Amino acid sequence: MVRITEKIHNEMVEMRKNGSTYSDIMNKLNVSKWTCMNHLKGIKPEENWTRKEWQKAEIEARKVLESMGFNHILDLNEVCNVAPFWDYYAELEGGEQWLIDVTTNTQKSLAEKQSRGVKGFKLGILYRDLSEWRLIRIASEVISTKKVNS
């Protein structure tokens, strides 16, 4: 990751205003998502096609989750609209609790999402492309541990 200079900060702001996503900015400028969130808070991007598609997906997501058998659906953006990691809390029959991120981004980092999980919750990405919705479960398993010598 690079050190944030005034020049990089200004370029981040300009890219965001021109409609770039955090992923676009992260990839081009080699900055972290945390850096984007801190430096670009309150910067409104101009409307672009990608953003409009993502917003449509966010609106449709509740109905899609219901059709997939989820209930007790809570839009986490309504509770805290700056929460960057999960869009919905939902349950399946039997009490399975899920945290779900809604996206149209084909380059979503599953490893990053998994690292933001909460113990006891299933994690998922609800992905919409132009023709269908997919719920992708994010799962990992610790296969070995070793104490670090201090």
mmCIF file of all heavy atoms in Angstrom, residues 112-142:
data_model
loop_
_atom_site.group_PDB
_atom_site.id
_atom_site.type_symbol
_atom_site.label_atom_id
_atom_site.label_comp_id
_atom_site.label_asym_id
_atom_site.label_seq_id
_atom_site.Cartn_x
_atom_site.Cartn_y
_atom_site.Cartn_z
ATOM 1 N N GLU A 112 -11.788 -11.158 1.651
ATOM 2 C CA GLU A 112 -12.013 -9.962 2.468
ATOM 3 C C GLU A 112 -13.362 -10.056 3.180
ATOM 4 O O GLU A 112 -13.472 -9.736 4.360
ATOM 5 C CB GLU A 112 -11.974 -8.708 1.593
ATOM 6 C CG GLU A 112 -12.187 -7.435 2.384
ATOM 7 C CD GLU A 112 -12.169 -6.185 1.521
ATOM 8 O OE1 GLU A 112 -11.881 -6.280 0.307
ATOM 9 O OE2 GLU A 112 -12.464 -5.117 2.065
ATOM 10 N N LYS A 113 -14.392 -10.518 2.480
ATOM 11 C CA LYS A 113 -15.702 -10.659 3.105
ATOM 12 C C LYS A 113 -15.642 -11.684 4.231
ATOM 13 O O LYS A 113 -16.190 -11.478 5.300
ATOM 14 C CB LYS A 113 -16.764 -11.072 2.081
ATOM 15 C CG LYS A 113 -17.097 -10.025 1.063
ATOM 16 C CD LYS A 113 -17.392 -8.710 1.708
ATOM 17 C CE LYS A 113 -18.810 -8.335 1.711
ATOM 18 N NZ LYS A 113 -19.032 -7.000 2.295
ATOM 19 N N GLN A 114 -14.974 -12.811 4.007
ATOM 20 C CA GLN A 114 -14.889 -13.854 5.019
ATOM 21 C C GLN A 114 -14.195 -13.322 6.265
ATOM 22 O O GLN A 114 -14.604 -13.620 7.381
ATOM 23 C CB GLN A 114 -14.146 -15.072 4.449
ATOM 24 C CG GLN A 114 -14.262 -16.321 5.292
ATOM 25 C CD GLN A 114 -13.316 -16.354 6.474
ATOM 26 O OE1 GLN A 114 -12.221 -15.801 6.419
ATOM 27 N NE2 GLN A 114 -13.739 -16.990 7.539
ATOM 28 N N SER A 115 -13.191 -12.484 6.092
ATOM 29 C CA SER A 115 -12.468 -11.948 7.254
ATOM 30 C C SER A 115 -13.329 -10.988 8.065
ATOM 31 O O SER A 115 -13.004 -10.674 9.206
ATOM 32 C CB SER A 115 -11.180 -11.254 6.802
ATOM 33 O OG SER A 115 -11.459 -10.030 6.153
ATOM 34 N N ARG A 116 -14.438 -10.524 7.515
ATOM 35 C CA ARG A 116 -15.360 -9.621 8.212
ATOM 36 C C ARG A 116 -16.577 -10.356 8.763
ATOM 37 O O ARG A 116 -17.573 -9.746 9.115
ATOM 38 C CB ARG A 116 -15.832 -8.499 7.266
ATOM 39 C CG ARG A 116 -14.729 -7.685 6.659
ATOM 40 C CD ARG A 116 -14.011 -6.904 7.713
ATOM 41 N NE ARG A 116 -12.997 -6.061 7.071
ATOM 42 C CZ ARG A 116 -12.249 -5.216 7.709
ATOM 43 N NH1 ARG A 116 -12.370 -5.073 9.004
ATOM 44 N NH2 ARG A 116 -11.352 -4.498 7.076
ATOM 45 N N GLY A 117 -16.491 -11.667 8.826
ATOM 46 C CA GLY A 117 -17.595 -12.468 9.329
ATOM 47 C C GLY A 117 -17.770 -12.340 10.832
ATOM 48 O O GLY A 117 -16.911 -11.814 11.538
ATOM 49 N N VAL A 118 -18.893 -12.813 11.307
ATOM 50 C CA VAL A 118 -19.225 -12.805 12.724
ATOM 51 C C VAL A 118 -19.473 -14.255 13.135
ATOM 52 O O VAL A 118 -20.232 -14.969 12.470
ATOM 53 C CB VAL A 118 -20.477 -11.941 12.995
ATOM 54 C CG1 VAL A 118 -20.855 -11.992 14.455
ATOM 55 C CG2 VAL A 118 -20.243 -10.503 12.532
ATOM 56 N N LYS A 119 -18.846 -14.684 14.226
ATOM 57 C CA LYS A 119 -18.956 -16.070 14.680
ATOM 58 C C LYS A 119 -20.430 -16.466 14.830
ATOM 59 O O LYS A 119 -21.228 -15.730 15.396
ATOM 60 C CB LYS A 119 -18.233 -16.233 16.010
ATOM 61 C CG LYS A 119 -18.138 -17.667 16.461
ATOM 62 C CD LYS A 119 -17.298 -17.797 17.708
ATOM 63 C CE LYS A 119 -17.171 -19.267 18.073
ATOM 64 N NZ LYS A 119 -16.237 -19.464 19.161
ATOM 65 N N GLY A 120 -20.769 -17.633 14.293
ATOM 66 C CA GLY A 120 -22.124 -18.160 14.401
ATOM 67 C C GLY A 120 -23.020 -17.819 13.221
ATOM 68 O O GLY A 120 -24.115 -18.344 13.114
ATOM 69 N N PHE A 121 -22.567 -16.942 12.329
ATOM 70 C CA PHE A 121 -23.366 -16.546 11.173
ATOM 71 C C PHE A 121 -22.810 -17.181 9.910
ATOM 72 O O PHE A 121 -21.600 -17.289 9.728
ATOM 73 C CB PHE A 121 -23.337 -15.023 10.977
ATOM 74 C CG PHE A 121 -24.128 -14.268 12.004
ATOM 75 C CD1 PHE A 121 -23.613 -14.036 13.277
ATOM 76 C CD2 PHE A 121 -25.381 -13.765 11.707
ATOM 77 C CE1 PHE A 121 -24.323 -13.332 14.223
ATOM 78 C CE2 PHE A 121 -26.106 -13.056 12.648
ATOM 79 C CZ PHE A 121 -25.578 -12.848 13.903
ATOM 80 N N LYS A 122 -23.713 -17.601 9.029
ATOM 81 C CA LYS A 122 -23.327 -18.011 7.685
ATOM 82 C C LYS A 122 -23.104 -16.719 6.885
ATOM 83 O O LYS A 122 -23.775 -15.713 7.124
ATOM 84 C CB LYS A 122 -24.424 -18.830 7.008
ATOM 85 C CG LYS A 122 -24.906 -20.007 7.802
ATOM 86 C CD LYS A 122 -24.029 -21.187 7.599
ATOM 87 C CE LYS A 122 -24.697 -22.385 8.272
ATOM 88 N NZ LYS A 122 -23.764 -23.245 8.907
ATOM 89 N N LEU A 123 -22.176 -16.762 5.956
ATOM 90 C CA LEU A 123 -21.854 -15.580 5.155
ATOM 91 C C LEU A 123 -22.175 -15.848 3.697
ATOM 92 O O LEU A 123 -21.937 -16.949 3.199
ATOM 93 C CB LEU A 123 -20.364 -15.239 5.291
ATOM 94 C CG LEU A 123 -19.825 -15.113 6.715
ATOM 95 C CD1 LEU A 123 -18.327 -14.871 6.686
ATOM 96 C CD2 LEU A 123 -20.546 -14.011 7.465
ATOM 97 N N GLY A 124 -22.721 -14.840 3.014
ATOM 98 C CA GLY A 124 -23.051 -15.023 1.613
ATOM 99 C C GLY A 124 -22.926 -13.760 0.796
ATOM 100 O O GLY A 124 -23.011 -12.649 1.318
ATOM 101 N N ILE A 125 -22.708 -13.966 -0.481
ATOM 102 C CA ILE A 125 -22.721 -12.894 -1.472
ATOM 103 C C ILE A 125 -23.936 -13.156 -2.355
ATOM 104 O O ILE A 125 -24.055 -14.236 -2.952
ATOM 105 C CB ILE A 125 -21.452 -12.912 -2.360
ATOM 106 C CG1 ILE A 125 -20.180 -12.783 -1.528
ATOM 107 C CG2 ILE A 125 -21.545 -11.842 -3.443
ATOM 108 C CD1 ILE A 125 -19.880 -11.415 -1.028
ATOM 109 N N LEU A 126 -24.842 -12.207 -2.414
ATOM 110 C CA LEU A 126 -25.981 -12.294 -3.322
ATOM 111 C C LEU A 126 -25.590 -11.494 -4.555
ATOM 112 O O LEU A 126 -25.510 -10.270 -4.517
ATOM 113 C CB LEU A 126 -27.248 -11.735 -2.673
ATOM 114 C CG LEU A 126 -28.524 -11.848 -3.493
ATOM 115 C CD1 LEU A 126 -28.864 -13.309 -3.805
ATOM 116 C CD2 LEU A 126 -29.684 -11.177 -2.761
ATOM 117 N N TYR A 127 -25.280 -12.221 -5.616
ATOM 118 C CA TYR A 127 -24.721 -11.617 -6.827
ATOM 119 C C TYR A 127 -25.759 -11.598 -7.937
ATOM 120 O O TYR A 127 -26.416 -12.598 -8.197
ATOM 121 C CB TYR A 127 -23.493 -12.422 -7.273
ATOM 122 C CG TYR A 127 -22.988 -12.042 -8.635
ATOM 123 C CD1 TYR A 127 -22.355 -10.832 -8.839
ATOM 124 C CD2 TYR A 127 -23.155 -12.894 -9.713
ATOM 125 C CE1 TYR A 127 -21.897 -10.476 -10.091
ATOM 126 C CE2 TYR A 127 -22.705 -12.547 -10.973
ATOM 127 C CZ TYR A 127 -22.075 -11.336 -11.153
ATOM 128 O OH TYR A 127 -21.636 -10.976 -12.401
ATOM 129 N N ARG A 128 -25.890 -10.438 -8.572
ATOM 130 C CA ARG A 128 -26.790 -10.328 -9.722
ATOM 131 C C ARG A 128 -25.998 -9.927 -10.943
ATOM 132 O O ARG A 128 -25.290 -8.926 -10.944
ATOM 133 C CB ARG A 128 -27.872 -9.280 -9.474
ATOM 134 C CG ARG A 128 -28.976 -9.412 -10.550
ATOM 135 C CD ARG A 128 -29.806 -8.201 -10.675
ATOM 136 N NE ARG A 128 -29.023 -7.241 -11.449
ATOM 137 C CZ ARG A 128 -29.420 -6.024 -11.735
ATOM 138 N NH1 ARG A 128 -30.561 -5.585 -11.302
ATOM 139 N NH2 ARG A 128 -28.665 -5.206 -12.422
ATOM 140 N N ASP A 129 -26.100 -10.754 -11.980
ATOM 141 C CA ASP A 129 -25.552 -10.325 -13.267
ATOM 142 C C ASP A 129 -26.740 -9.903 -14.122
ATOM 143 O O ASP A 129 -27.827 -9.683 -13.602
ATOM 144 C CB ASP A 129 -24.676 -11.406 -13.908
ATOM 145 C CG ASP A 129 -25.447 -12.658 -14.317
ATOM 146 O OD1 ASP A 129 -26.688 -12.616 -14.418
ATOM 147 O OD2 ASP A 129 -24.792 -13.691 -14.551
ATOM 148 N N LEU A 130 -26.564 -9.787 -15.395
ATOM 149 C CA LEU A 130 -27.639 -9.275 -16.239
ATOM 150 C C LEU A 130 -28.807 -10.254 -16.377
ATOM 151 O O LEU A 130 -29.910 -9.846 -16.690
ATOM 152 C CB LEU A 130 -27.097 -8.915 -17.616
ATOM 153 C CG LEU A 130 -26.106 -7.748 -17.614
ATOM 154 C CD1 LEU A 130 -25.551 -7.520 -19.012
ATOM 155 C CD2 LEU A 130 -26.741 -6.485 -17.065
ATOM 156 N N SER A 131 -28.572 -11.558 -16.107
ATOM 157 C CA SER A 131 -29.634 -12.525 -16.369
ATOM 158 C C SER A 131 -30.128 -13.310 -15.157
ATOM 159 O O SER A 131 -31.196 -13.895 -15.217
ATOM 160 C CB SER A 131 -29.167 -13.521 -17.437
ATOM 161 O OG SER A 131 -28.046 -14.253 -16.961
ATOM 162 N N GLU A 132 -29.359 -13.350 -14.070
ATOM 163 C CA GLU A 132 -29.796 -14.166 -12.938
ATOM 164 C C GLU A 132 -29.154 -13.715 -11.630
ATOM 165 O O GLU A 132 -28.183 -12.983 -11.613
ATOM 166 C CB GLU A 132 -29.505 -15.643 -13.176
ATOM 167 C CG GLU A 132 -28.032 -15.978 -13.222
ATOM 168 C CD GLU A 132 -27.770 -17.445 -13.525
ATOM 169 O OE1 GLU A 132 -28.714 -18.222 -13.717
ATOM 170 O OE2 GLU A 132 -26.593 -17.814 -13.558
ATOM 171 N N TRP A 133 -29.752 -14.205 -10.547
ATOM 172 C CA TRP A 133 -29.238 -13.996 -9.194
ATOM 173 C C TRP A 133 -28.562 -15.279 -8.738
ATOM 174 O O TRP A 133 -29.033 -16.373 -9.019
ATOM 175 C CB TRP A 133 -30.385 -13.710 -8.231
ATOM 176 C CG TRP A 133 -30.963 -12.343 -8.348
ATOM 177 C CD1 TRP A 133 -32.010 -11.951 -9.136
ATOM 178 C CD2 TRP A 133 -30.550 -11.182 -7.634
ATOM 179 N NE1 TRP A 133 -32.266 -10.627 -8.963
ATOM 180 C CE2 TRP A 133 -31.377 -10.123 -8.033
ATOM 181 C CE3 TRP A 133 -29.544 -10.935 -6.695
ATOM 182 C CZ2 TRP A 133 -31.253 -8.840 -7.528
ATOM 183 C CZ3 TRP A 133 -29.413 -9.649 -6.184
ATOM 184 C CH2 TRP A 133 -30.257 -8.617 -6.606
ATOM 185 N N ARG A 134 -27.471 -15.139 -7.984
ATOM 186 C CA ARG A 134 -26.786 -16.284 -7.385
ATOM 187 C C ARG A 134 -26.465 -15.946 -5.936
ATOM 188 O O ARG A 134 -25.948 -14.871 -5.651
ATOM 189 C CB ARG A 134 -25.469 -16.574 -8.096
ATOM 190 C CG ARG A 134 -25.617 -17.039 -9.504
ATOM 191 C CD ARG A 134 -24.238 -17.384 -10.090
ATOM 192 N NE ARG A 134 -24.360 -17.347 -11.530
ATOM 193 C CZ ARG A 134 -23.810 -16.428 -12.312
ATOM 194 N NH1 ARG A 134 -23.051 -15.498 -11.814
ATOM 195 N NH2 ARG A 134 -24.003 -16.461 -13.602
ATOM 196 N N LEU A 135 -26.739 -16.869 -5.035
ATOM 197 C CA LEU A 135 -26.301 -16.727 -3.649
ATOM 198 C C LEU A 135 -25.083 -17.629 -3.489
ATOM 199 O O LEU A 135 -25.176 -18.847 -3.666
ATOM 200 C CB LEU A 135 -27.395 -17.126 -2.659
ATOM 201 C CG LEU A 135 -26.995 -17.023 -1.184
ATOM 202 C CD1 LEU A 135 -26.604 -15.595 -0.802
ATOM 203 C CD2 LEU A 135 -28.116 -17.525 -0.294
ATOM 204 N N ILE A 136 -23.960 -17.017 -3.184
ATOM 205 C CA ILE A 136 -22.705 -17.739 -3.037
ATOM 206 C C ILE A 136 -22.356 -17.767 -1.553
ATOM 207 O O ILE A 136 -22.222 -16.708 -0.923
ATOM 208 C CB ILE A 136 -21.578 -17.048 -3.841
ATOM 209 C CG1 ILE A 136 -21.974 -16.965 -5.318
ATOM 210 C CG2 ILE A 136 -20.253 -17.763 -3.640
ATOM 211 C CD1 ILE A 136 -21.142 -16.010 -6.128
ATOM 212 N N ARG A 137 -22.244 -18.965 -0.996
ATOM 213 C CA ARG A 137 -21.885 -19.078 0.416
ATOM 214 C C ARG A 137 -20.375 -18.966 0.562
ATOM 215 O O ARG A 137 -19.620 -19.584 -0.186
ATOM 216 C CB ARG A 137 -22.352 -20.406 0.985
ATOM 217 C CG ARG A 137 -21.982 -20.526 2.446
ATOM 218 C CD ARG A 137 -22.638 -21.684 3.120
ATOM 219 N NE ARG A 137 -22.110 -21.781 4.468
ATOM 220 C CZ ARG A 137 -22.037 -22.881 5.146
ATOM 221 N NH1 ARG A 137 -22.501 -23.995 4.636
ATOM 222 N NH2 ARG A 137 -21.533 -22.887 6.350
ATOM 223 N N ILE A 138 -19.946 -18.171 1.514
ATOM 224 C CA ILE A 138 -18.530 -18.018 1.820
ATOM 225 C C ILE A 138 -18.246 -18.894 3.028
ATOM 226 O O ILE A 138 -18.834 -18.702 4.094
ATOM 227 C CB ILE A 138 -18.180 -16.554 2.149
ATOM 228 C CG1 ILE A 138 -18.613 -15.624 1.021
ATOM 229 C CG2 ILE A 138 -16.702 -16.412 2.439
ATOM 230 C CD1 ILE A 138 -18.549 -14.158 1.403
ATOM 231 N N ALA A 139 -17.377 -19.851 2.871
ATOM 232 C CA ALA A 139 -17.070 -20.752 3.976
ATOM 233 C C ALA A 139 -15.566 -20.989 4.033
ATOM 234 O O ALA A 139 -14.883 -21.002 3.012
ATOM 235 C CB ALA A 139 -17.796 -22.084 3.789
ATOM 236 N N SER A 140 -15.076 -21.143 5.234
ATOM 237 C CA SER A 140 -13.668 -21.489 5.417
ATOM 238 C C SER A 140 -13.567 -22.437 6.596
ATOM 239 O O SER A 140 -14.477 -22.544 7.409
ATOM 240 C CB SER A 140 -12.826 -20.241 5.649
ATOM 241 O OG SER A 140 -13.212 -19.608 6.840
ATOM 242 N N GLU A 141 -12.446 -23.111 6.668
ATOM 243 C CA GLU A 141 -12.247 -24.077 7.736
ATOM 244 C C GLU A 141 -10.792 -24.005 8.176
ATOM 245 O O GLU A 141 -9.883 -24.033 7.345
ATOM 246 C CB GLU A 141 -12.557 -25.476 7.199
ATOM 247 C CG GLU A 141 -12.293 -26.585 8.163
ATOM 248 C CD GLU A 141 -12.546 -27.957 7.547
ATOM 249 O OE1 GLU A 141 -12.997 -28.033 6.392
ATOM 250 O OE2 GLU A 141 -12.268 -28.940 8.232
ATOM 251 N N VAL A 142 -10.574 -23.871 9.473
ATOM 252 C CA VAL A 142 -9.218 -23.903 10.010
ATOM 253 C C VAL A 142 -8.790 -25.361 10.035
ATOM 254 O O VAL A 142 -9.457 -26.201 10.647
ATOM 255 C CB VAL A 142 -9.162 -23.286 11.421
ATOM 256 C CG1 VAL A 142 -7.760 -23.415 12.000
ATOM 257 C CG2 VAL A 142 -9.612 -21.840 11.388
#
